[in-house]
Amino acid sequence: MNSAGLFEAHLFHSRHHPADAVHDQILTQQLTALKQVLAQRLPIAEYIAAAGYLSAAFKELEHPVLAVEPTPPVISPLEAPLKELADAYLAHLLAGKRTEAINLLRKEAKDGIDVRLLYEHVFMPVQWEVGSRWHKGEISVAQEHYCTAATELAMAMLHPYLQKTPSNGFSFVATTVSGDLHSMPVRMVSDFLELDGWTPYFLGANTPTDGIWKAVVGFKADLLVIGASMAHHVGILRQLISAKNNTIGANNVRVMVGGEPFNADPTLWRSIGADAYAPNARVAVEAARTLMQKK
């Protein structure tokens, strides 16, 4: 990917799980072995690029790891207007009380709250907290899966409460690439776009490249929304975008991407040939509108 940002993000996560001097020593040994192998295997120009990233990593590993807690995503200047609701929702999930958790949100929806606020100020911070606790070993992978599955169900049950606007005449296909099983962020973007008047074709996760373009052409979509949850998915996404030129009927389709790799390197979307990047669902709506205005 020729992206220092991706490698820095990978090193940061590697150093913090666990964060201690012994783990840093192991990482240094692994990177040293990697550098030796790459020196033998890569063409000189590619090795020079890789060696630069590795040298920066060695320098970083010379300094003690900082016990810095990552900050949750900030959604608005008001920080967390639904924090009490989000805390109660999370507490029910961690206690295995899925029905009680979902009923909290259904009551809010019935009372007329904008469902997008539940997405932004309950689902997003709660999923971030669940992932953080799993990374720190405070909850098991089974608990993380339970919470995620419950939130996906909650999103489906709140879907009828989305206050849709009249059709804007545009349609989109949304999914993740083959091997990427994390579809919730793309699902959120899909629901926000549908609320904005778009016709949605949400394919879920883990869709093969040829299947994605067949769906885009078959549905006569104007936009492809694609997410990547981890750095190793970006290469597949780049191949997907490159395949557009060889797909009959897809030349005028715009591609918008998002996910952690693009948050780590905000210029990455351009290098893989995408037309836009969005860090969250609200920005995705604005970016999609802009793409259609240009189109």
Side-chain angles (χ1 to χ4, degrees):
M1 293 294 103
N2 194 25
S3 169
L6 285 184
F7 193 71
E8 290 168 1
H10 175 72
L11 181 63
F12 176 85
H13 288 296
S14 297
R15 294 191 77 190
H16 284 73
H17 306 296
D20 57 45
V22 175
H23 187 57
D24 272 3
Q25 184 179 6
I26 295 173
L27 278 175
T28 301
Q29 294 171 349
Q30 292 175 339
L31 292 174
T32 300
L34 178 62
K35 187 174 182 180
Q36 292 171 350
V37 173
L38 294 181
Q40 300 171 9
R41 303 285 183 89
L42 286 182
I44 184 63
E46 294 181 9
Y47 173 72
I48 290 174
Y53 298 148
L54 291 169
S55 296
F58 289 132
K59 290 181 180 179
E60 181 67 24
L61 287 165
E62 291 175 359
H63 304 288
V65 61
L66 298 177
V68 177
E69 287 291 331
T71 55
V74 176
I75 305 303
S76 76
L78 298 177
E79 291 292 331
L82 300 179
K83 187 178 186 306
E84 291 185 5
L85 178 62
D87 289 345
Y89 176 76
L90 175 60
H92 280 312
L93 291 185
L94 294 178
K97 299 179 179 180
R98 182 184 68 181
T99 300
E100 290 83 346
I102 294 176
N103 283 341
L104 286 176
L105 306 187
R106 291 182 68 183
K107 180 182 183 302
E108 294 291 332
K110 289 180 180 179
D111 289 343
I113 193 173
D114 186 340
V115 175
R116 290 175 297 184
L117 296 178
L118 297 178
Y119 277 49
E120 293 176 314
H121 300 296
V122 177
F123 293 149
M124 289 180 63
V126 164
Q127 283 302 121
W128 183 91
E129 178 64 23
V130 167
S132 177
R133 294 192 185 193
W134 172 69
H135 277 298
K136 291 185 289 187
E138 296 177 0
I139 64 173
S140 67
V141 67
Q143 287 175 293
E144 186 274 333
H145 282 193
Y146 176 85
C147 294
T148 300
T151 295
E152 289 175 339
L153 177 60
M155 290 172 64
M157 297 182 72
L158 291 179
H159 190 268
Y161 295 98
L162 288 171
Q163 300 169 356
K164 302 175 185 177
T165 59
S167 173
N168 62 13
F170 297 115
S171 63
F172 69 92
V173 167
T175 185
T176 65
V177 294
S178 179
D180 191 344
L181 303 178
H182 297 81
S183 64
M184 186 181 296
V186 179
R187 170 68 180 273
M188 289 186 179
V189 172
S190 177
D191 287 352
F192 270 54
L193 285 172
E194 182 179 0
L195 183 63
D196 194 52
W198 293 68
T199 299
Y201 297 102
F202 177 65
L203 307 184
N206 191 28
T207 306
T209 297
D210 58 346
I212 293 174
W213 285 119
K214 286 180 181 178
V216 169
V217 174
F219 291 127
K220 298 180 180 179
D222 302 282
L223 176 69
L224 172 61
V225 178
I226 191 102
S229 60
M230 302 183 72
H232 62 265
H233 298 133
V234 179
I236 303 173
L237 208 159
R238 180 171 59 181
Q239 295 173 3
L240 170 72
I241 295 175
S242 297
K244 184 179 81 167
N245 296 329
N246 299 321
T247 303
I248 298 175
N251 288 340
N252 292 324
V253 177
R254 300 293 183 261
V255 180
M256 180 166 58
V257 299
E260 281 303 311
F262 301 99
N263 296 337
D265 182 354
T267 66
L268 183 61
W269 65 275
R270 296 182 185 275
S271 67
I272 66 170
D275 299 296
Y277 147 73
N280 58 55
R282 272 195 194 271
V283 175
V285 171
E286 297 300 325
R289 290 176 180 173
T290 300
L291 286 176
M292 293 304 102
Q293 289 173 356
K294 292 180 179 178
K295 183 176 178 180

